[in-house]
Amino acid sequence: MIRFSDRQLRIPKQSRPVYLVTAGMSQFGRAFPARKTEELCIDAFVMAAEMLGMSPAELKTYIQMGLYGHFADHFGDQLLGEAVIHDRLGLDPLPGLGVKTGGATGGYTTLAATMAIASGQADCVLAMGWERMDEVPTDEGNFLISCAADKDWETFLGQIYTGYYAPMAQRYWQVFGKREPSFRETLARIAVKHRGYARFNPFAHGAMKITIDDVLKSPVVADPLRALDACLMSVGAACCVICDEATANEIHKRAPHMKPLRIWVGAGTHTLRPADRRDMDIPLLPNETAEQYKDLEQRFPGADRYPGFTGFLAARMAAFYAYGMTGIKDPTVDLDLVELHDAFTISDVQTYEDVGIRPYGEGRTYVESGDCYHTNPHTGLPGKLPSNLSGGLIGCMHAVGATGIMQIDEVAMHLWNRHAEVHGAPARWKAFGKEKPADWTDLQVKGAKRGMAVSHAGVGSHVTATILMDPDALLKKEGC
Amino acid sequence: MGTVTVEKGRYVPKGAFHQIEAGTPIHDESGTLCGVTKPRNMTYMHSYGGEAPFFQAVSEKARLLATRCDNPACAGKGTMYLPFRVYCPDCLAKMTVVDVTDVVNKVATIYTYIVTERSGAFNTLEKPIRFVDVAFPGTAFGTLLKGYMVGPGQPAIGKRVVPVFRTGAPAYNIQDLAWALEGTTADQLPKGFTFSR
């Protein structure tokens, strides 16, 4: 049983307001044999400068520190890759710091960036994440990823992360999904949605126009998960620039088209080995009561322990802290869009529950209601809380160290009302060597003021919930 | 192939530990150089530290060891841990090593599982791999244990399993512990495996 002290449940407080002022990404792909990692990072930084109408050199004059997210030294065969990127960006001799938290590296890098600003360590920092996953054969890549499991107790078992992740999906599938074909179809709808949204995203490399049937007939990876249920393995970089209020105002004067956004990051962890998950009471979010879970096991036989293998405690805690920091009571009411960590379709559903979009056991209804779509397929009206309009990890990319930052960047584009410009520009499609689809659709969430990005590591060892808000649409006025 | 012993508190490697192999250029279709391969073969010398008794018991004695917090001041006193942990996660006291083979033989149950044809490089398990996560209901265990299944039958949630041990040709890693469905007979186990002794 995990027991929290009151001190441990203290809601974090930024010592001064923190702002996100710009964002940039490279193209994402399965492989870039002709480009080095630092070239992709520079692409991302140059885009961030262009978003502000500045030259890269001008933007660099604001940066006082670099925060770098890079999951796997093994993949790039480069220890201290952070120093390489810092140098190639021409940021020496400023301070630079590397962050590694598996799949949540991007989110935790952003957390470190907000901490640097909130504490006064710096007034303006760069958060840059990347991953190089194409320089080893795929099976060796799978081996390297399996090294992020416990090397003595797990890695030797198959040398593949599927063996550690998929059993969790199996448990969810049987307990909360009740092995219903309709639930299997709901999972397929997520894959169709994310690969479909990726078709309108020039940065994405998993774009596909597919049907539910295509998903259900794709090769089995580990029942019930099939190939089209799984995320991509990607190469690419993403960055954002985070600063204090004075710097944000100064930059905003030079770039009045880019309103600085308030940013907070809640974070949680849980055991690297799922085996070590001890039973505990469900930590409640503001829109939940203990009463509603009293009969959980009756409704879902097998839901006899929390988090068991059906929930991600780290995600629950990240949301707990993030909602407390920002005043969010109900994410489906207070947020306008989310980007979630859809490593697999089923973990996407698990996350709906962990972050309170739906109660535990009812995640599937977020999809089945149509709430998660840009346009609700049942009503033709805007979805209540659109998710993963970028295509997510399934459709856009999973360049691990960059993923969490890409998600934040994509939410920010909506809040800046620049989604269509960034994703629809013919020049960008052309620069990436792609043909813009004839049916390209503007996925801008109209009037978006608040969004969230969830960055998640492995079987749930680290998770962050990053909240972005238009400073004129804050939910909590007092303090930071 | 290299071997390692510990002498006077230090690792002593003997034999060949890496083979030097030249890299080769990587060109694209037009003949333009893109990069170079970097082959490498290395062997790590890895310590099991305080967890070594678990691995020695599995690989040599066909017994399963766990740990238990016996610190009277700990809120989690009496909780058992498998995976074997040296220190209590609550109070950080060094825990007591206990032989849990007999109790595990009686209660181990599949909590969840997966069957997959996929594996990463360097995998030595036979495919399809039947991954099982094993629970110990009705005991003081606060944890589950990840493993794989051998012998006849397919895994399912709730099925009873028993631990089996690869003492015949141990690799001295977690692969030496596997799980077989209750009722499996010795002759149905893969070569080198045995039930607990």
Side-chain angles (χ1 to χ4, degrees):
Chain A
M1 171 69 83
I2 296 175
R3 299 172 183 84
F4 297 106
S5 71
D6 291 342
R7 289 186 187 90
Q8 290 167 334
L9 293 178
R10 168 195 173 271
I11 298 300
K13 188 176 178 205
Q14 295 173 336
S15 295
R16 57 178 180 165
V18 181
Y19 291 82
L20 174 77
V21 289
T22 190
M25 299 178 287
S26 74
Q27 182 181 7
F28 301 112
R30 178 65 188 89
F32 288 112
R35 305 209 67 203
K36 294 191 79 174
T37 306
E38 47 264 49
E39 296 174 53
L40 299 168
C41 290
I42 288 172
D43 282 355
F45 188 83
V46 169
M47 177 182 163
E50 288 173 351
M51 290 285 291
L52 291 166
M54 291 185 189
S55 69
E58 285 175 304
L59 179 56
K60 278 171 54 180
T61 64
Y62 290 92
I63 309 281
Q64 298 166 344
M65 185 177 187
L67 286 308
Y68 300 109
H70 174 213
F71 158 57
D73 295 329
H74 296 342
F75 271 103
D77 196 25
Q78 172 67 67
L79 297 183
L80 215 51
E82 300 85 353
V84 175
I85 302 303
H86 195 63
D87 167 66
R88 299 303 191 273
L89 288 168
L91 290 174
D92 285 318
L94 301 175
L97 176 69
V99 178
K100 291 187 196 312
T101 54
T105 294
Y108 265 84
T109 302
T110 309
L111 169 65
T114 62
M115 288 162 57
I117 300 302
S119 69
Q121 180 75 29
D123 292 333
C124 184
V125 301
L126 169 69
M128 172 77 77
W130 66 90
E131 210 67 53
R132 186 96 224 180
M133 304 184 80
D134 60 339
E135 297 200 329
V136 292
T138 300
D139 65 337
E140 291 183 15
N142 283 327
F143 162 72
L144 293 177
I145 293 170
S146 80
C147 293
D150 186 299
K151 65 182 178 180
D152 290 334
W153 294 81
E154 295 172 326
T155 302
F156 271 113
L157 301 175
Q159 325 276 15
I160 188 158
Y161 215 84
T162 305
Y164 326 135
Y165 206 109
M168 305 171 68
Q170 180 69 243
R171 183 82 189 180
Y172 188 97
W173 159 247
Q174 296 204 26
V175 173
F176 288 135
K178 300 184 176 179
R179 305 173 85 159
E180 292 174 0
S182 61
F183 179 54
R184 185 45 275 208
E185 191 173 306
T186 296
L187 297 178
R189 287 184 195 282
I190 296 169
V192 172
K193 165 177 164 275
H194 294 187
R195 290 179 186 276
Y197 286 156
R199 292 182 59 244
F200 309 135
N201 179 355
F203 299 90
H205 79 101
M208 290 175 80
K209 194 170 189 175
I210 54 172
T211 65
I212 291 170
D213 208 38
D214 292 330
V215 180
L216 298 180
K217 287 180 177 168
S218 64
V220 173
V221 175
D223 182 65
L225 301 176
R226 292 172 179 270
L228 288 175
D229 286 304
C231 68
L232 302 162
M233 193 182 236
S234 315
V235 179
C239 73
C240 58
V241 175
I242 292 174
C243 60
D244 71 335
E245 191 163 275
T247 310
N249 288 337
E250 191 181 330
I251 290 174
H252 186 41
K253 275 185 191 165
R254 294 190 56 183
H257 58 291
M258 286 280 277
K259 191 175 186 179
L261 304 172
R262 287 292 302 274
I263 180 170
W264 301 261
V265 185
T269 63
H270 202 199
T271 60
L272 181 69
R273 297 182 298 224
D276 293 296
R277 294 178 168 197
R278 292 185 286 168
D279 193 19
M280 63 182 293
D281 294 333
I282 298 175
L284 299 173
L285 294 179
N287 60 343
E288 295 177 322
T289 64
E291 188 67 28
Q292 76 187 89
Y293 290 126
K294 278 188 173 168
D295 64 346
L296 190 65
E297 194 181 350
Q298 284 75 54
R299 289 185 285 129
F300 300 100
D304 54 348
R305 55 192 292 164
Y306 178 85
F309 274 19
T310 50
F312 295 113
L313 176 60
R316 172 53 56 120
M317 296 309 296
F320 171 83
Y321 291 124
Y323 296 172
M325 291 170 85
T326 56
I328 290 171
K329 301 295 182 197
D330 180 344
T332 67
V333 173
D334 296 328
L335 296 173
D336 298 307
L337 77 156
V338 293
E339 285 281 333
L340 304 176
H341 188 95
D342 52 333
F344 293 94
T345 52
I346 202 162
S347 55
D348 203 43
V349 176
Q350 290 172 279
T351 302
Y352 306 157
E353 300 171 2
D354 294 319
V355 302
I357 291 173
R358 288 292 189 275
Y360 281 110
E362 298 172 33
R364 58 188 288 179
T365 66
Y366 179 45
V367 179
E368 292 162 357
S369 65
D371 286 352
C372 69
Y373 289 84
H374 176 267
T375 303
N376 188 317
H378 306 304
T379 65
L381 299 170
K384 187 175 183 185
L385 181 64
S387 75
N388 292 28
L389 298 175
S390 69
L393 283 67
I394 288 174
C396 178
M397 66 78 136
H398 190 21
V400 182
T403 304
I405 297 175
M406 175 279 286
Q407 296 171 303
I408 292 165
D409 292 357
E410 286 285 349
V411 170
M413 298 301 170
H414 287 273
L415 272 55
W416 285 320
N417 196 29
R418 296 187 72 178
H419 182 272
E421 171 199 339
V422 167
H423 296 80
R428 194 178 307 280
W429 287 89
K430 189 176 176 187
F432 290 166
K434 297 179 177 182
E435 189 173 337
K436 185 177 175 182
D439 62 346
W440 184 86
T441 302
D442 178 5
L443 297 178
Q444 170 70 43
V445 175
K446 291 189 170 51
K449 301 291 183 192
R450 306 182 202 107
M452 175 171 70
V454 174
S455 183
H456 176 125
V459 292
S461 67
H462 298 75
V463 178
T464 58
T466 298
I467 308 290
L468 296 178
M469 288 190 191
D470 180 320
D472 293 324
L474 302 186
L475 295 168
K476 194 175 179 180
K477 300 296 181 191
E478 74 280 12
C480 298
Chain B
M1 188 161 78
T3 59
V4 181
T5 56
V6 173
E7 296 173 18
K8 296 179 182 175
R10 289 187 169 193
Y11 289 117
V12 181
K14 291 170 186 160
F17 266 81
H18 54 269
Q19 289 81 46
I20 298 171
E21 190 181 337
T24 55
I26 303 170
H27 294 97
D28 70 10
E29 305 91 326
S30 69
T32 303
L33 181 70
C34 293
V36 64
T37 66
K38 297 163 73 179
R40 187 178 312 146
N41 180 333
M42 290 176 62
T43 300
Y44 284 85
M45 296 172 279
H46 171 56
S47 171
Y48 280 140
E51 298 175 8
F54 170 87
F55 289 97
Q56 190 153 21
V58 162
S59 302
E60 295 180 355
K61 301 170 187 168
R63 301 296 293 180
L64 203 52
L65 303 184
T67 48
R68 182 184 62 220
C69 181
D70 287 336
N71 177 5
C74 179
K77 178 181 176 293
T79 304
M80 307 258 283
Y81 293 92
L82 197 57
F84 184 106
R85 302 173 75 109
V86 180
Y87 297 98
C88 170
D90 291 326
C91 67
L92 299 187
K94 195 159 188 175
M95 293 200 281
T96 306
V97 177
V98 287
D99 187 319
V100 295
T101 316
D102 297 338
V103 67
V104 166
N105 268 323
K106 288 176 189 155
V107 304
T109 304
I110 295 176
Y111 179 73
T112 188
Y113 67 94
I114 207 75
V115 180
T116 181
E117 289 281 356
R118 308 259 175 142
S119 67
F122 312 113
N123 169 57
T124 54
L125 295 181
E126 188 180 330
K127 293 190 274 188
I129 303 170
R130 291 168 287 171
F131 287 100
V132 290
D133 292 83
V134 179
F136 313 104
T139 67
F141 281 107
T143 55
L144 307 160
L145 183 60
K146 182 171 290 299
Y148 69 106
M149 216 182 100
V150 296
Q154 290 300 316
I157 291 175
K159 277 190 178 177
R160 278 271 294 115
V161 286
V162 295
V164 295
F165 304 86
R166 193 168 59 184
T167 53
Y172 287 92
N173 63 40
I174 194 65
Q175 290 182 2
D176 290 346
L177 170 65
W179 301 85
L181 293 179
E182 187 180 44
T184 300
T185 56
D187 62 307
Q188 292 176 311
L189 294 178
K191 188 178 175 188
F193 277 88
T194 180
F195 292 107
S196 59
R197 292 183 189 140

